[in-house]
Structure formats: structure tokens, C-alpha cells
């Protein structure tokens, strides 16, 4: 069993530092540092896009207005940072359309998550999966209730 971390690889390439007392502390890591971390065996890294996690010309995620080829290029760029490629995707801002799903299929993406709440039911579209949100502020009993 491994946890899944969905990376926006374009954002993860920007390293930030924060002043903590007299020390300057690194608060984000580069994508290379993340995927080469020794805990890689316990975490599956999948793509959340490279540069699509920004608003497009219509105010929604760029995936809604980009061409099929540009979506494919973005996903392939993101995947190039991850060991062994990826087969899972999470739509930026939860936005998707048929063009996006077609591009994902052409990239070999097998599963894609939306921001729609709920459990996956038998027969659900594998490229339009809902999800159960579990934040760090919830306790173990909440987690158990969500996954049981």
C-alpha cells in the first residue's frame, strides 16, 4: 500500500525560503528532490499537470480552453519528471470536458479524479471519478468512516 501524491510539476520547480528566527528555512522542494526522496517506495507520484493549474482565458482551468495537443504536451512534460511515468491524473480545479478526456486517453491515463464529492461506484467513468476529501484537520475516526 502506498499513498498517492498528485504533483503540479511546474509549481514544484519553484523553491521558496522563509525566515524563521535567524535561520532561512526551505519551505518547498523541487520536483527532483520530491521524487528522489528515499520514501519513494511508500508514495506513488502522479500528475496534476505541469502548467494547467492556472486560470485560462475563460477563468476556468487552462485544460478547458487548451487544444488537445497542448494538453497532451503539458501532461507529458509533467510525466517526464516522475519515475516510470504516471497513469493517474487529477483535473486542475476539477474542471474537465470531452477534449480533456480525449487528451488523457491519448496519454495513456487510466484514472482521472474530479472535485465532485462521493465514492466511486461500479461502472463509473474512469476518467470522471469523484473523490472523498480527507484533510489533515480530521481525526482517524473520520478517516475510517470515509474509507469503510
Amino acid at each position: 500500500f502506498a499513498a498517492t501524491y498528485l504533483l503540479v510539476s511546474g509549481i514544484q520547480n519553484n523553491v521558496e525560503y522563509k525566515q524563521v528566527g535567524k535561520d532561512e528555512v526551505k519551505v518547498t522542494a523541487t520536483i527532483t528532490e520530491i521524487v528522489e526522496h528515499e520514501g519513494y517506495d511508500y508514495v506513488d507520484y502522479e500528475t496534476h499537470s505541469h502548467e494547467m493549474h492556472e486560470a485560462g482565458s475563460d477563468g476556468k482551468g487552462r485544460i478547458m480552453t487548451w487544444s488537445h495537443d497542448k494538453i497532451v504536451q503539458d501532461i507529458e512534460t509533467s510525466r517526464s519528471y516522475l519515475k516510470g511515468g504516471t497513469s493517474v491524473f487529477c483535473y486542475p480545479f476539477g474542471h474537465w470536458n470531452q477534449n480533456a478526456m480525449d487528451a488523457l486517453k491519448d496519454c495513456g491515463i487510466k484514472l482521472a479524479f474530479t472535485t465532485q464529492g462521493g465514492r466511486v461506484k461500479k461502472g463509473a467513468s474512469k476518467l470522471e471519478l469523484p473523490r472523498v476529501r480527507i484533510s489533515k484537520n480530521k481525526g482517524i475516526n473520520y478517516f475510517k468512516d470515509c474509507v469503510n
Side-chain angles (χ1 to χ4, degrees):
F1 178 76
T4 299
Y5 187 94
L6 293 147
L7 288 164
V8 180
S9 54
I11 292 173
Q12 294 298 150
N13 281 326
N14 300 319
V15 177
E16 295 178 21
Y17 292 87
K18 181 178 181 181
Q19 196 70 34
V20 178
K22 294 181 180 180
D23 299 320
E24 189 173 63
V25 178
K26 191 175 192 180
V27 293
T28 61
T30 66
I31 186 105
T32 303
E33 291 170 328
I34 291 169
V35 298
E36 291 184 357
H37 185 270
E38 62 189 63
Y40 195 86
D41 292 340
Y42 308 104
V43 179
D44 289 332
Y45 294 99
E46 302 288 348
T47 182
H48 194 21
S49 80
H50 185 70
E51 292 183 337
M52 286 190 285
H53 210 279
E54 293 186 28
S57 59
D58 63 354
K60 295 184 178 181
R62 289 176 169 174
I63 199 167
M64 298 295 287
T65 57
W66 278 8
S67 70
H68 175 277
D69 291 345
K70 194 162 184 175
I71 294 169
V72 168
Q73 179 182 7
D74 184 89
I75 293 168
E76 293 301 333
T77 299
S78 182
R79 290 169 108 182
S80 72
Y81 289 97
L82 305 172
K83 295 179 181 177
T86 64
S87 61
V88 178
F89 185 79
C90 185
Y91 294 107
F93 307 111
H95 300 153
W96 81 98
N97 56 23
Q98 189 61 51
N99 181 51
M101 289 192 299
D102 291 343
L104 267 58
K105 285 179 198 172
D106 289 347
C107 288
I109 297 291
K110 304 292 183 209
L111 303 171
F113 290 90
T114 69
T115 55
Q116 293 180 334
R119 294 175 182 235
V120 175
K121 294 185 170 97
K122 186 176 182 177
S125 167
K126 291 182 181 180
L127 295 179
E128 297 177 287
L129 298 171
R131 61 181 163 173
V132 176
R133 291 179 183 250
I134 301 172
S135 69
K136 65 181 178 181
N137 301 327
K138 302 293 183 181
I140 191 67
N141 289 332
Y142 178 83
F143 176 79
K144 287 178 183 177
D145 288 344
C146 287
V147 297
N148 284 328

